[in-house]
Amino acid sequence: MPSRTHVLPKTATVVAIALAAGLLTVSGAEAAPVRIHDIQGTTRLSPLEGQQVSEVEGIVTGVRAYGSRGFWFQDASPDADPATSEGVFVYTGSVPTVKAGDSVRVSGTVTEYIPGGAGSGNQSLTQITKPTVTVVSSGNALPEAETVNGWEVPDRYAPEGDPADGNSINKLTLHPRSYALDYYESLEGMNIAIGSSRVVGATDPYAELWVTVKPWENPTVRGGARYGSYTSQNTGRLQVQQLTPLAESPFPKADVGDRLTGRTEGPLDFNQFGGYTLAARTLPTVESRGLTPERTRRQDRDELAVATYNVENLDPKDPQEKFDALAKAVVENLASPDILALEEIQDDNGPTNDGTVTAGQTLAKFTEAIKAAGGPSYDWRSVDPEDKKDGGEPGGNIRQVFLFNPARVSFTDRPGGDATTATGVVRDKGRAALTLSPGRIDPANAAWADSRKPLAGEFTFRGRPVIVIANHFGSKGGDESLVSHHQPPVRSSEAKRLLQAQAVNAFVKDILKVQRGADVLVVGDINDFEFSGTTQALTADGALEAGIKSLPRAERYSYVYQGNSQVLDQILVSPSIDDYAYDSVHINAEFADQNSDHDPQVVRFEP
């Protein structure tokens, strides 16, 4: 690995910055040429932003002929300051004519490009635009790659943002030995390499995956990297893409726990959907760990099994293969639970935006597929939403639905529930009962604007009533990413979920006021972590307990995002359910081939 000891920048760097700032003029002699490290500087923003630079020298290390077209080049004579990157991206806008190994001189304008736009909160990528490129020679050796390994990447993720600059880290001097984001930023645009690494985020439809260079960092039981708090972001994660067009070289398919064996090398990019990304010139082979989907055990005769599953925008236009795969998962992986709350059931014509809100065709097709897979003849209950009032894919009108096995449980129907009428709680024969079943909880509450309203249903199992509340809280859309230039990142979506959690918590308390020992389950896609303020609001005053917390920490996850295995789907139980078995059934999130991007959850208990 090249040595990069911490000393003052070279004189050329100081001169170039001073010239750009107008603090220095040169008379009777030529100014020192601008080098790439002068352009990158010691903060995230170039000190030469907006300036014209001429005849900047370097060796081409990678070419991108698709998407944001351009190339990276790197100074073959680096300075000794570890905070200044020696590589930079040149945006050409068209297929570059250079190739790796070309020695070039580049003139153009230094700019800061923000992937996703300023509103995304993303950091910017320093680049040269409107370039004039001169090839001096070809076939040169590439600058030696900076090896990224777990011992080099700091454990602390990012410095606190500057309050005087809106909590931004943009203008802070980089400390690559102290913070992971500073470390990666100090290598932006440079030729880097990683050795054999474990996959922590499976290959996705966009031909990218995530690895970790810190195999010891919060490992899950199945090879992932668990995200367990806002201050433990797993600094060893790194996204990997390839520079070669997919038509020329297919991207490898890998699941969580697999290994990229050998050396992966290429420029360090920064993009909208993953932040710092190794843009690989070539990729090593994938060594499969042989991960297989989990299967939960079947419930005992006296146990009630309640599950939740986000089936990712299921509608009748989906291929039969998707229905069959989801149905097989219900029967074989979830062991045909007695009650199954579904999220993201779309209306009968899917995303066609024509006012249709019914979902009978979707549910008939799905329940028939479950029966064909050897499962029970599930019945269902739901409440159709108002058209275009519950968010999700436009025209899809997603909603929650209860499936239940009538051979094991019965549903207590109390008519009158619709999209806008709230269900309530009354005492019936000494027990808590819903006024509307199925019914929606407080649908007029502003917390549910453009979001799915909770669906409450009353069931009976072996003579004992059980109330289940199916949820799909507001998404994290609009939140800034972990690599935001604001530190900590702005998580604006939390405000709505907090209100939603408070509304559900209040409803559960209403039930428990009527019947202290009522069996209540709050299930669904909560869209938030087990340590979040949302979960704290759901469990406030002991009304509920988060079942997933009963699992060992290395098993607490239902979703994988940017290489972080995390909790989004949950089942919470009331105090009377004090002896239960919880399982997060990992069948989707860790795999390149998915039927949904969520893992279902199941809880079993004796009412």
Side-chain angles (χ1 to χ4, degrees):
M1 181 181 71
S3 174
R4 305 185 74 199
T5 56
H6 193 317
V7 298
L8 289 174
K10 286 185 176 180
T11 303
T13 303
V14 178
V15 170
I17 295 173
L19 285 169
L23 301 176
L24 179 66
T25 59
V26 178
S27 177
E30 291 187 7
V34 171
R35 310 301 291 261
I36 292 175
H37 47 253
D38 301 326
I39 294 171
Q40 288 284 12
T42 58
T43 69
R44 285 170 168 78
L45 304 180
S46 172
L48 304 183
E49 182 182 2
Q51 302 290 319
Q52 293 288 319
V53 292
S54 299
E55 302 290 301
V56 181
E57 297 181 352
I59 304 294
V60 176
T61 59
V63 176
R64 186 161 57 205
Y66 60 92
S68 181
R69 296 180 176 90
F71 64 91
W72 291 265
F73 76 128
Q74 183 169 329
D75 199 321
S77 301
D79 70 6
D81 188 345
T84 57
S85 170
E86 301 295 337
V88 73
F89 183 68
V90 179
Y91 175 70
T92 59
S94 58
V95 177
T97 57
V98 299
K99 58 184 179 298
D102 284 352
S103 174
V104 295
R105 295 193 183 103
V106 178
S107 301
T109 304
V110 177
T111 59
E112 292 288 343
Y113 169 67
I114 304 174
S120 69
N122 280 330
Q123 296 181 60
S124 60
L125 174 71
T126 302
Q127 59 183 19
I128 299 175
T129 59
K130 300 178 181 178
T132 300
V133 181
T134 301
V135 177
V136 178
S137 63
S138 299
N140 298 282
L142 302 188
E144 185 180 352
E146 185 85 10
T147 300
V148 175
N149 63 64
W151 307 112
E152 296 283 340
V153 182
D155 292 333
R156 287 184 291 177
Y157 196 67
E160 289 286 326
D162 182 0
D165 192 26
N167 283 346
S168 176
I169 59 175
N170 272 340
K171 298 176 183 177
L172 300 180
T173 300
L174 299 177
H175 294 283
R177 292 177 177 172
S178 298
Y179 304 105
L181 287 190
D182 285 9
Y183 173 80
Y184 289 123
E185 177 65 19
S186 75
L187 302 176
E188 180 194 81
M190 288 181 62
N191 190 34
I192 70 166
I194 58 174
S196 294
S197 303
R198 192 177 78 241
V199 175
V200 293
T203 302
D204 66 19
Y206 308 101
E208 56 198 19
L209 56 78
W210 289 76
V211 299
T212 181
V213 297
K214 291 186 173 184
W216 60 85
E217 191 174 48
N218 300 317
T220 69
V221 292
R222 289 163 58 87
R226 192 181 68 87
Y227 183 60
S229 75
Y230 290 126
T231 58
S232 180
Q233 294 93 339
N234 294 318
T235 63
R237 294 174 302 111
L238 189 64
Q239 189 180 53
V240 177
Q241 297 176 335
Q242 70 180 28
L243 287 178
T244 306
L246 296 178
E248 299 177 16
S249 177
F251 193 76
K253 187 192 308 189
D255 298 328
V256 167
D258 291 347
R259 286 179 64 81
L260 291 188
T261 59
R263 184 178 176 88
T264 306
E265 184 174 320
L268 185 62
D269 191 20
F270 185 91
N271 64 46
Q272 178 180 356
F273 300 108
Y276 296 104
T277 299
L278 200 172
R281 289 186 298 273
T282 59
L283 284 166
T285 59
V286 173
E287 180 183 282
S288 175
R289 181 173 176 256
L291 196 70
T292 58
E294 289 186 332
R295 295 190 179 200
T296 197
R297 69 168 175 85
R298 185 170 294 277
Q299 62 271 27
D300 293 336
R301 180 177 179 273
D302 295 334
E303 286 182 313
L304 177 67
V306 180
T308 180
Y309 194 5
N310 183 322
V311 292
E312 196 175 13
N313 290 320
L314 187 66
D315 76 82
K317 296 180 180 178
D318 284 325
Q320 185 64 43
E321 290 78 9
K322 179 175 180 178
F323 280 87
D324 291 343
L326 288 168
K328 182 179 179 182
V330 170
V331 176
E332 297 184 4
N333 302 94
L334 284 179
S336 299
D338 301 311
I339 301 170
L340 174 58
L342 301 172
E343 298 85 52
E344 293 198 17
I345 290 290
Q346 291 199 342
D347 63 36
D348 287 330
N349 60 14
T352 301
N353 196 359
D354 64 357
T356 299
V357 295
T358 58
Q361 294 178 38
T362 309
L363 291 165
K365 189 172 181 179
F366 189 31
T367 53
E368 283 299 316
I370 292 173
K371 187 176 179 181
S377 296
Y378 280 110
D379 202 348
W380 71 80
R381 296 291 188 275
S382 188
V383 171
D384 292 333
E386 292 184 278
D387 187 36
K388 294 185 285 289
K389 294 291 187 178
D390 282 18
E393 185 178 19
N397 291 310
I398 55 175
R399 83 288 310 275
Q400 297 89 265
V401 173
F402 292 122
L403 300 188
F404 62 96
N405 180 1
R408 293 264 299 166
V409 297
S410 61
F411 190 89
T412 303
D413 287 292
R414 293 197 173 92
D418 59 28
T420 59
T421 304
T423 188
V425 184
V426 295
R427 185 183 299 274
D428 182 21
K429 299 178 181 178
R431 292 176 170 174
L434 300 177
T435 58
L436 304 172
S437 176
R440 297 181 121 188
I441 294 175
D442 198 12
N445 190 324
W448 310 111
D450 197 33
S451 187
R452 284 68 55 188
K453 287 71 176 171
L455 177 71
E458 190 175 332
F459 299 83
T460 300
F461 177 72
R462 299 177 67 82
R464 184 172 176 90
V466 177
I467 295 174
V468 183
I469 303 169
N471 302 271
H472 187 182
F473 283 9
S475 78
K476 291 183 176 292
D479 285 2
E480 294 180 350
S481 73
L482 292 180
V483 293
S484 169
H485 76 90
H486 296 118
Q487 290 295 330
V490 177
R491 299 188 295 268
S492 58
S493 71
E494 286 186 355
K496 171 172 278 193
R497 286 193 300 280
L498 181 62
L499 295 175
Q500 293 174 343
Q502 290 169 344
V504 172
N505 175 269
F507 189 80
V508 172
K509 287 177 181 175
D510 288 343
I511 297 172
L512 299 181
K513 285 177 185 176
V514 174
Q515 182 188 353
R516 183 178 180 182
D519 290 341
V520 185
L521 297 98
V522 171
V523 310
D525 180 358
I526 303 302
N527 260 321
D528 224 333
F529 316 119
E530 78 278 19
F531 54 82
S532 66
T534 301
T535 301
Q536 292 173 19
L538 280 170
T539 59
D541 302 319
L544 294 164
E545 176 178 294
I548 201 162
K549 288 187 176 182
S550 67
L551 297 177
R553 284 183 171 84
E555 297 180 22
R556 297 178 191 173
Y557 60 97
S558 70
Y559 195 82
V560 178
Y561 182 67
Q562 294 185 347
N564 272 326
S565 295
Q566 56 196 245
V567 170
L568 292 186
D569 308 84
Q570 297 197 50
I571 297 178
L572 303 98
V573 299
S574 61
S576 62
I577 307 174
D578 57 0
D579 185 14
Y580 60 88
Y582 192 98
D583 196 0
S584 183
V585 189
H586 304 303
I587 63 175
N588 289 313
E590 298 167 313
F591 297 93
D593 293 328
Q594 300 179 340
N595 300 315
S596 167
D597 48 355
H598 292 254
D599 287 334
Q601 313 292 294
V602 63
V603 68
R604 292 177 291 268
F605 67 103
E606 294 185 15

